[in-house]
């Protein structure tokens, strides 16, 4: 399994996003979280913090790598925050 | 060098915070970023994304580990986002 994109908005529920992240990691993939705006980025970070608690119980250390990326929404280019979430020692 | 706390607010300049993170990492430490609220967390994530660009030029892969933490501000307990920033393969 490779990289799965998870789009997060300011209205996303962190616990639900955390469950999606955990499922991707358990499946051997990595999650590429995309967030546009402060509210969305905040929900994304909360989701990763919650997913880290889930994965710690399975002895998995989840890390994230933030970066800027350009994405197209309704034909308009926007700068998004990309948070690559993977398990430690699973470098891709 | 150990862990240095970097407090970030919604008005923090991401480039300045990125410079502080880079200096801590270059000095052999790790940065514990604390942010309260969506605006602060957003600036913190942008700062880490910028610091990652700085460090990539030095062949250092910066990672972060988000978590919730309780901090006291003016005597009141607040839930903050803690982002531990370290270089990859420097696990503490």
């Amino acid at each position: 399994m490779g990289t799965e994109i998870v789009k997060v908005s300011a209205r996303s529920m962190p616990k639900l996003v955390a469950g999606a992240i955990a499922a991707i990691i358990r499946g051997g993939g990595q999650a590429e979280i995309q967030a546009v705006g402060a509210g969305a980025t905040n929900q994304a970070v909360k989701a990763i913090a919650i997913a880290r608690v889930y994965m710690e119980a399975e002895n998995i250390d989840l890390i994230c790598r933030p970066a800027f990326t350009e994405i197209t929404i309704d034909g308009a280019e926007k700068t998004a925050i990309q948070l690559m979430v993977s398990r430690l020692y699973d470098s891709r």
Side-chain angles (χ1 to χ4, degrees), chain A:
Chain A
M1 218 169 102
T3 301
E4 296 209 15
I5 291 173
V6 179
K7 295 189 181 186
V8 173
S9 80
R11 291 178 303 279
S12 297
M13 300 280 281
K15 277 195 183 178
L16 293 181
V17 177
I21 294 168
I24 292 166
I25 299 295
R26 286 191 192 107
Q30 69 175 357
E32 177 183 336
I33 299 176
Q34 292 177 353
V36 176
T41 299
N42 188 47
Q43 297 304 79
V45 171
K46 285 196 269 183
I48 299 168
I50 296 167
R52 291 192 71 239
V53 175
Y54 295 163
M55 303 315 286
E56 269 165 30
E58 298 168 33
N59 285 316
I60 292 171
D61 190 6
L62 264 198
I63 58 171
C64 85
R65 293 173 168 85
F68 295 101
T69 187
E70 299 295 322
I71 63 171
T72 304
I73 299 176
D74 298 331
E77 191 136 299
K78 301 243 185 190
T79 298
I81 288 288
Q82 176 197 71
L83 296 149
M84 296 294 299
V85 182
S86 59
R87 52 193 294 176
L88 187 62
Y89 306 126
D90 179 13
S91 58
R92 267 172 296 194

